[in-house]
Amino acid sequence: VKPWEVRAIQAGFGVDVSHQDRLRTPSRRYFLATLPWYLFLLVSPFVLGLVLCVLPRSAKFLLVPALLFLWSWMLIAATCLGAVEVVYRFLHPLSFTGIAGAAMLVETALSRTGRTPR
């Protein structure tokens, strides 16, 4: 809250909101607890890029991670370039691509060690 807004709120309602950023409200605690998830969502396009680097070029399903990679980067571009301000909820569609990319990495790692995923 800007200083002039603090003065206006205090004049209009008689409430001091100058230190509201230090309050540990339930919504703020929830948001801080979800930071690892938001980091995963931000990293998910890179996970799909890693999948494309790790998969052999003769892989039969190379088109799927390539399309997911392209879609996730288009979503990141639209979120960053098309939004007026940063809104983390716009990253939630990346959860599917991130989980799919992580599953592809695990499957590739297991197949290289000789274990087959069940």
Side-chain angles (χ1 to χ4, degrees):
V1 180
K2 296 179 176 86
W4 66 271
E5 293 172 328
V6 169
R7 287 190 299 274
I9 292 171
Q10 193 165 19
F13 299 101
V15 177
D16 181 23
V17 293
S18 60
H19 301 292
Q20 76 170 5
D21 60 324
R22 297 184 194 139
L23 294 176
R24 303 295 276 178
T25 62
S27 63
R28 186 163 288 144
R29 285 194 306 262
Y30 175 78
F31 177 75
L32 291 173
T34 59
L35 283 178
W37 176 246
Y38 289 129
L39 289 174
F40 174 75
L41 293 178
L42 282 172
V43 171
S44 66
F46 296 104
V47 170
L48 287 163
L50 184 62
V51 167
L52 288 174
C53 293
V54 171
L55 281 178
R57 294 292 162 228
S58 62
K60 163 168 126 167
F61 297 108
L62 195 58
L63 182 64
V64 172
L67 289 175
L68 289 175
F69 178 74
L70 179 65
W71 181 72
S72 65
W73 277 108
M74 286 180 4
L75 183 64
I76 286 284
T79 301
C80 293
L81 300 175
V84 176
E85 61 181 299
V86 177
V87 182
Y88 296 107
R89 71 174 177 265
F90 294 157
L91 295 176
H92 285 299
L94 288 172
S95 60
F96 171 74
T97 59
I99 292 170
M104 289 179 211
L105 280 179
V106 168
E107 184 178 7
T108 303
L110 288 176
S111 67
R112 287 190 177 178
T113 61
R115 301 178 190 162
T116 56
R118 295 181 180 191

